[in-house]
Amino acid sequence: MRRKPVERLVAEGGHGEGGGLRRTMGMWQLTMISIGATLGTGIFVVLGEAVPKAGPAVTLSFVIAGLTALFSALSYAELAGTIPVAGSSYSYAYATLGEVIAWICGWCLILEYGVSIAAVAVGWGEYLNEFLDGTIGVTIPDALASPPGDGGVINLPSLILVLLAGVVLLGGSKESARVNAIMVGVKIAALLLFCAVGLTGFQSGNYEDFMPLGMAGVSGAAATLFFSYIGFDAASTAGEEAKNPQRDLPRAILLSLGIVTALYVLVAFVAIGARPWEGFTDTEATLAAIMNEVTGQTFWGTVLAGGAVIAIASVVLAVLYGQTRILFAMSRDGLVPKSFAKIHARTGVPRINTIWVSLFCGVLAAAIPLGELADATSIGTLFAFALVNVSVLVLRRTRPNLHRTFRVPFAPLFPLIGFGLCVWMMVSLRAITWTVFGLWMAVGLAIYFAYGRSRSRLAVEAAGAPATEEK
């Protein structure tokens, strides 16, 4: 239960093995990282899986998932402004709840970020095929475009996408942030184009039976769609590469969540109006298919598919960035091997870390179907978000005089609501998802007690000088 003081967390910010991270990002770049990590998958890919669960009320599911994210985003904003470090909620838990809880949170973040990268990449292949078919009349064979559980042998496009994102990140944080900002602009334009075209085929009758599967269906879809919001916390992982993190991180987190939620609800509303909810089946390239139906031609669907290819690629890039920075922080604390905190002298990025994470996530994307990945990511995210809401309350009580550039309004009510909503949505997930989560937690705790507990920097310091142990 040893805790790491806030002052020490902040003082160590930016420092790694053999070098340091570079502070190159302003509020605009941080906001683009959050939007880049969030906007795309939920609306381009997961929408097709959520609509059969909730019917037209999927728009309500997006709102519920967005509200759940908002309460947690407020807590993230306070902690990001107070403890602006790369570890995100892992570091917040380390300062407030103790090392073992911090490890559990970090292990959930590995599930959240690492597995979501793979899940996003899986859906990318569908839109790539749609785009290739509409432009050159060629598609990638199912054997090479789908994982084994979906009738293929390997999802090769997904593997290639993750590896390419890793190559971009190896060039440096400033360069990758610039690439991400361009891709974010493209995907916002693609979604607005969908809304403009989809409204021409809007049928109000599609909303007559608004909630055919009841509130249980709405909450179940919301739990799956929460996967679509997990990127807003990506800005908090850039705390050690932001020029003015105390000021800019809270603003970037809340601004990005507001933009993303508005676009999600708008696109979902138009999509249901343009196609009866019963027509949402197994295709992952849902929006492109709707545009083809509305216009009676493939041109606009091909344009949207091209936008989706770029949009989903930006999600992979931004989330992959976040994953490497969380492992960087955990490595600096001694809980994972030191190689993950080793900084490349020329580029200022954790090079070995980036290579290993890219390879791991690429293999996951190539081998595992989207649905299982999305739900597994949601439960890991919800657990981490619940801990963030608790951390706000603990830090308010234990360190009330810390300088906070943003404060959650109506505390402790709002953090408690955020915690309760996270728990409610976790309960809405399937039993198999809980089983996978339980196994993941068991493996994580085994690694901590076998490796991290004795090798953490606080443990090593305490063993060398017992009087300095930080309680």
Side-chain angles (χ1 to χ4, degrees):
M1 299 307 296
R2 51 195 171 224
R3 297 189 296 273
K4 193 170 183 179
V6 172
E7 293 80 4
R8 180 171 176 179
L9 281 165
V10 175
E12 290 178 353
H15 301 295
E17 292 287 324
L21 301 174
R22 299 171 183 171
R23 295 192 179 276
T24 60
M25 300 186 195
M27 194 192 79
W28 174 250
Q29 288 92 342
L30 294 171
T31 303
M32 290 299 101
I33 285 176
S34 282
I35 295 177
T38 311
L39 183 62
T41 315
I43 206 68
F44 282 109
V45 180
V46 182
L47 178 66
E49 297 196 7
V51 171
K53 297 180 181 180
V58 72
T59 52
L60 182 58
S61 298
F62 268 114
V63 173
I64 292 172
L67 285 174
T68 302
L70 174 62
F71 284 108
S72 295
L74 292 171
S75 294
Y76 259 101
E78 176 170 328
L79 292 174
T82 309
I83 314 174
V85 293
S88 186
S89 52
Y90 153 77
S91 294
Y92 310 153
Y94 212 162
T96 57
L97 303 175
E99 186 175 277
V100 68
I101 304 300
W103 168 264
I104 291 172
C105 188
W107 193 242
C108 284
L109 290 174
I110 292 173
L111 181 68
E112 171 192 344
Y113 280 81
V115 178
S116 71
I117 293 165
V120 171
V122 168
W124 185 73
E126 284 284 334
Y127 278 100
L128 179 62
N129 260 341
E130 191 83 16
F131 180 70
L132 292 175
D133 185 41
T135 52
I136 61 177
V138 174
T139 59
I140 301 170
D142 288 343
L144 298 178
S146 300
D150 280 351
V153 175
I154 183 174
N155 194 326
L156 189 59
S158 301
L159 174 61
I160 293 172
L161 172 62
V162 176
L163 296 181
L164 286 175
V167 170
V168 172
L169 290 179
L170 289 172
S173 59
K174 183 177 181 179
E175 292 74 12
S176 56
R178 185 180 296 118
V179 172
N180 174 69
I182 293 171
M183 292 194 291
V184 168
V186 171
K187 66 179 167 183
I188 291 176
L191 288 173
L192 293 177
L193 172 66
F194 169 81
C195 292
V197 174
L199 284 173
T200 64
F202 192 90
Q203 300 289 330
S204 59
N206 292 345
Y207 278 95
E208 287 182 355
D209 187 7
F210 183 68
M211 201 180 295
L213 302 172
M215 196 61 201
V218 173
S219 63
T224 295
L225 289 172
F226 190 78
F227 168 80
S228 313
Y229 288 91
I230 67 170
F232 76 79
D233 59 324
S236 66
T237 68
E240 297 174 26
E241 290 161 286
K243 295 176 183 177
N244 191 345
Q246 287 88 350
R247 183 196 67 188
D248 293 340
L249 286 176
R251 296 179 181 180
I253 289 170
L254 296 176
L255 178 61
S256 62
L257 182 62
I259 293 171
V260 166
T261 302
L263 281 169
Y264 277 166
V265 173
L266 177 62
V267 173
F269 175 76
V270 173
I272 295 293
R275 174 194 277 185
W277 73 272
E278 297 91 346
F280 287 78
T281 53
D282 57 352
T283 178
E284 288 163 356
T286 304
L287 300 188
I290 290 174
M291 289 188 78
N292 290 340
E293 294 168 9
V294 169
T295 61
Q297 53 183 300
T298 60
F299 173 77
W300 292 110
T302 301
V303 171
L304 185 78
V309 167
I310 296 173
I312 297 173
S314 75
V315 177
V316 172
L317 177 65
V319 178
L320 190 66
Y321 167 85
Q323 173 69 96
T324 60
R325 278 17 180 209
I326 289 166
L327 281 172
F328 171 82
M330 296 176 73
S331 174
R332 186 171 56 200
D333 291 332
L335 298 182
V336 297
K338 289 183 178 181
S339 59
F340 286 95
K342 187 173 178 63
I343 299 294
H344 190 261
R346 181 177 60 83
T347 60
V349 300
R351 189 173 188 175
I352 296 173
N353 180 340
T354 303
I355 292 171
W356 277 110
V357 171
S358 300
L359 290 172
F360 174 75
C361 295
V363 170
L364 279 182
I368 302 179
L370 171 66
E372 301 301 325
L373 289 172
D375 282 352
T377 303
S378 290
I379 196 169
T381 306
L382 288 163
F383 190 87
F385 283 9
L387 289 179
V388 168
N389 286 293
V390 174
S391 295
V392 165
L393 298 178
V394 172
L395 197 62
R396 286 274 190 103
R397 184 175 181 84
T398 59
R399 301 294 304 275
N401 297 323
L402 276 177
H403 176 63
R404 293 168 168 83
T405 56
F406 176 85
R407 298 178 70 92
V408 179
F410 304 109
L413 179 61
F414 276 17
L416 288 174
I417 291 174
F419 176 81
L421 286 171
C422 288
V423 172
W424 173 54
M425 294 188 72
M426 288 176 72
V427 172
S428 299
L429 291 167
R430 298 174 300 167
I432 183 62
T433 305
W434 276 95
T435 301
V436 171
F437 182 66
L439 292 172
W440 180 260
M441 285 293 99
V443 171
L445 287 172
I447 293 173
Y448 171 73
F449 285 105
Y451 181 91
R453 182 173 179 267
S454 60
R455 288 176 172 82
S456 80
R457 288 181 62 191
L458 295 187
V460 171
E461 292 168 5
T468 65
E469 181 175 0
E470 296 165 17
K471 297 290 185 180

